[in-house]
Amino acid sequence: YMQKVLQDAQLAPNLESLRYASPSQKYRKLPYVREDFAPIAQKLQLYPGQPRGSRQGVILSRHPQSQVLVALVDRRQGKGLLPDSELWPL
C-alpha cells in the first residue's frame, strides 16, 4: 500500500524546505530515524515521544504552515521507498 501511495513522492532535503513549498496532492518523503524524531515531531505538531501511527515505518502528516503532505520514512525500514543512499545500514 505505501509503495503505491508514495510512488511519485519527491524526496525532501529537509523539513525546513517544506515550510514554503506549494501544497499538492502528492506526498514529499522526509527520511528520519527514531533518535531524531522528537524535534521533527514538534515542528509537525505530532506527539514527540516514540513515533506513533506508523505503517511499515511511514508516518503520514501535513506540514502545519504550508499544508504540504509529508511522509516521514524511517531510514531503517525505508527499503523500496527511499534511495539506497538515504537508508541506514543494518
Side-chain angles (χ1 to χ4, degrees):
Y1 172 77
M2 282 298 161
Q3 292 277 353
K4 188 173 182 178
V5 170
L6 299 178
Q7 74 184 36
D8 296 328
Q10 294 178 344
L11 188 65
N14 55 51
L15 185 58
E16 193 60 31
S17 70
L18 301 176
R19 176 180 264 195
Y20 301 107
S22 299
S24 73
Q25 297 296 335
K26 296 182 181 178
Y27 280 91
R28 310 281 175 93
K29 295 183 281 190
L30 184 66
Y32 81 98
V33 290
R34 286 187 302 267
E35 293 82 359
D36 299 331
F37 181 74
I40 294 170
Q42 184 177 22
K43 290 179 182 177
L44 291 177
Q45 300 175 355
L46 301 173
Y47 176 74
Q50 284 291 97
R52 304 228 186 260
S54 71
R55 178 175 173 87
Q56 298 172 340
V58 178
I59 299 172
L60 302 177
S61 188
R62 286 185 184 268
H63 192 281
Q65 283 89 24
S66 65
Q67 297 302 303
V68 168
L69 297 170
V70 179
L72 297 173
V73 182
D74 188 330
R75 291 177 189 265
R76 291 181 178 100
Q77 299 179 47
K79 185 83 171 158
L81 297 174
L82 294 173
D84 288 345
S85 61
E86 294 291 336
L87 296 173
W88 267 32
L90 298 176

